[in-house]
Amino acid sequence: MRPYHRTPSLWGILLCTLLVLGCYGITWAEQNLLTNPGFELPITGELPPGWQKFSNTNIAFLSFEPESATNPNIILTIKDESNTAGYGLRSMFFPAEPGQVYRASVKIRSGGGTGTLYLDFTDDNGSRVSSKTITSRNTDWETVTVTHEAPPGTTSVSIILYSQSTHVGHISFDDAVLTQVSADTWMGSDVEVNVGPDALDYAPADGAVVTTNPPSFIWVPVSGAASYTLEFSTSPTFAPAETITVRNIDLSIYTPDKTLDNSKTWYWRLSAVDRNGKQSPYTNVRAFNIDANAVELPLPPLDQVRAAIPKEHPRLFVTPDTLEDFKGKPAKEPLFRVLWNGINVNSISYRFAILPDEPPHCYPNGVWDVNLWRQYTITTAATQKMETLAFAYMMTGDKEVGEAARKWMLHIASWDPGPNGATSAKINDESSMPILYQMSRAYTWAYDALSEADRQKIREVMRIRGNEAYQILKARPFEYRPYGSHAGRSLGFLGEAAIAFLDEIPEAAEWFDYVV
C-alpha cells in the first residue's frame, strides 16, 4: 500500500485546506501540494511530518536545524560523506493521472556535493514510471525548477531531495514546492540557468566586445525545451522593426549567416519552446558591441555548405578537382617526395600482412579488464594499414594495392559494430574512433576498388558507428560541454564520416550539420 494511504489525518488536513482555498477562488493547480515544504516541527530523531526516507537512507545523515543563530528558518541538510552511496528525502505521494502536468522546485545550497531534485512518477506498486531531475552545485542558495507531464501508468507523484552518490559534501534544501499546473503552461525548467564548471557560459556576455562578426550566440540548454527562439536587436526593447527573430533552433548555439552593424550596440535574449508549442519566459537581456576590427565570420546556410561537397569520390583532403595535382606533388616538391616514399614502402609490406582477429571484449563477465582494454592497439594497427593502402591506391591506381585495401576494409567492417561490440564506443572508444575516421578515409580514397555490394556493407556498418558517436555527443551535449578530449576527437572524426558518406548514409547530413 502506498504511503499516502497510511496518513489519513494529513490527507484530511490537506483536503480541508484545498476546500477552503477553493471557496476563495484559488485552484488546486496554483497550490503547493506539499503539506510541510519548510520541514517544520521536526522531532529529534524523527522525520518532519509530510516527509519520509528515500530508499535506505539512514536518518543520521539528515539534519533539520535552523539556518543560523539569528535565522530560525528550518533547513534540511544531507550530510553525505560517501562517494559510493547517495542519501535522500521523499515527500508524501500524491494521486496523479497520466497527462497531468506537475512542476517541482526547491532551493539548493552546496557544501561540496551535488544536490538533485527529482520529480518522480510511480505506479500502483510504487515502482517508478518516469522521473525528471535537475541538479545544482552552487555554493549560494539557488532555486531549481523542473516540469513534466505524468506519463502513462502514473498513479502518484512525489518529489525527492537527493545527494548524488559519487560526490561527498553537505547539501542543504529549503522551500520545496510541488504543484499541478495547467496543460497550457510552459513545461520546461527555468531558462536562466547557472553554468556548470565544465560548461560554456552565455555568450556574448552582457557588456562584451566581440571579435568576430557575427558572434556565435551560446546559452545553457533548458530542460524540457524542444526548440529555441532567439532574438537579437539594436533596440533594448526589441522593437519589431529593429529585431531579428530566429525560430526552431534545435541546439543551444546559433551563428547568423550575415554580419551585423558594428557601429551599434546589440541586445539579445531567447526563449524555449516545449513539445506542446508552449513558450517559456525570455532570458535576461544581454548587450554587446562588435570590435571595429572584428573578423567577419558568418556561417553560410548549411544546405549551401553541404552543396559544396563533391558528389564523386575522393572527398577528404583531396577532391576530384584536385586529385591530379595532388598525385604530381611528389615529383615537384621534396617534402612530398619523402612522405610519399615512406607511405609507398609501407603499402607494399601491408599487402602481405596477416589480418588480425577482432579485438577482445574488455568487459568479460561484465567486469572491466584494463589489459583487454589496451588491446585497442590491434584496432589502431589494423586501421593504419587499411588507410595507408587506400591512400596508396588513390595515388597509383594499382589494382593489387586496391584489392589489399578492399580486403582490410571488409575485414574490419566485419567486426561487431553494435552497442555491445568489442570495438563500439560504449565498450572501447579507443577502438571505435580510429574505425570511424580511418574507414571513412579508406572508403572515399579507394572507392573505385570496391564493388557496390562492398560499399553497401561498409555503409551499413558506418551508419551504426556514426549514429553511436552522434548520440554520445548529443547526450553530453557537446555544444554546451566541449571540454573533453574524447568528445573533441569524436566530433572531428564524425565530421569526416559525414563528408565521406553524405547522400549515401541517410543520417550523414544530420551528422554534418551538427558538426558544422
Side-chain angles (χ1 to χ4, degrees), residues 349-357 378 381-382 385 407-408 411 415:
S349 64
Y350 291 166
R351 285 166 52 189
F352 306 103
I354 297 174
L355 299 174
D357 292 334
I378 295 172
K385 292 179 174 65
K407 177 181 69 174
W408 279 87
H411 177 66
W415 296 351

Side-chain angles (χ1 to χ4, degrees), residues 59-138:
I59 194 172
F61 296 112
L62 309 176
S63 73
F64 305 90
E65 299 173 352
E67 186 167 357
S68 68
T70 58
N71 186 348
N73 179 55
I74 300 295
I75 62 172
L76 157 68
T77 299
I78 300 177
K79 301 175 180 179
D80 186 348
E81 299 177 357
S82 169
N83 59 8
T84 59
Y87 310 103
L89 189 71
R90 187 196 285 273
S91 73
M92 294 169 53
F93 290 85
F94 297 90
E97 296 180 4
Q100 292 175 337
V101 179
Y102 290 86
R103 174 170 291 152
S105 68
V106 71
K107 289 166 61 178
I108 301 178
R109 184 178 64 191
S110 171
T114 299
T116 304
L117 167 65
Y118 279 79
L119 178 56
D120 206 43
F121 298 96
T122 48
D123 62 17
D124 268 331
N125 297 317
S127 299
R128 176 174 292 163
V129 178
S130 178
S131 66
K132 198 78 170 178
T133 65
I134 189 167
T135 63
S136 174
R137 298 192 68 185
N138 200 328

Side-chain angles (χ1 to χ4, degrees), residues 385-448:
K385 292 179 174 65
M386 171 187 67
E387 180 186 19
T388 300
L389 287 163
F391 184 85
Y393 172 74
M394 180 181 69
M395 291 290 286
T396 65
D398 186 309
K399 290 186 178 179
E400 291 187 9
V401 176
E403 178 57 28
R406 172 183 175 274
K407 177 181 69 174
W408 279 87
M409 292 168 71
L410 292 177
H411 177 66
I412 295 172
S414 71
W415 296 351
D416 183 4
N420 292 309
T423 60
S424 68
K426 174 184 175 183
I427 302 301
N428 193 336
D429 65 355
E430 290 292 359
S431 272
S432 70
M433 287 189 288
I435 296 176
L436 184 63
Y437 79 92
Q438 290 182 293
M439 181 71 80
S440 301
R441 295 178 182 183
Y443 176 87
T444 196
W445 292 342
Y447 185 85
D448 292 341

Side-chain angles (χ1 to χ4, degrees), residues 308-373:
I309 298 174
K311 300 296 182 185
E312 297 77 26
H313 293 271
R315 298 179 181 176
L316 292 171
F317 305 100
V318 186
T319 67
D321 292 340
T322 63
L323 180 57
E324 290 308 313
D325 177 64
F326 197 81
K327 287 181 179 180
K329 284 183 179 294
K332 300 174 183 177
E333 302 181 39
L335 177 59
F336 278 86
R337 186 179 307 118
V338 172
L339 293 172
W340 165 241
N341 286 341
I343 293 170
N344 194 31
V345 169
N346 284 336
S347 72
I348 294 172
S349 64
Y350 291 166
R351 285 166 52 189
F352 306 103
I354 297 174
L355 299 174
D357 292 334
E358 183 173 359
H361 203 289
C362 62
Y363 284 89
N365 304 314
V367 179
W368 186 61
D369 186 321
V370 66
N371 293 316
L372 294 179
W373 173 80

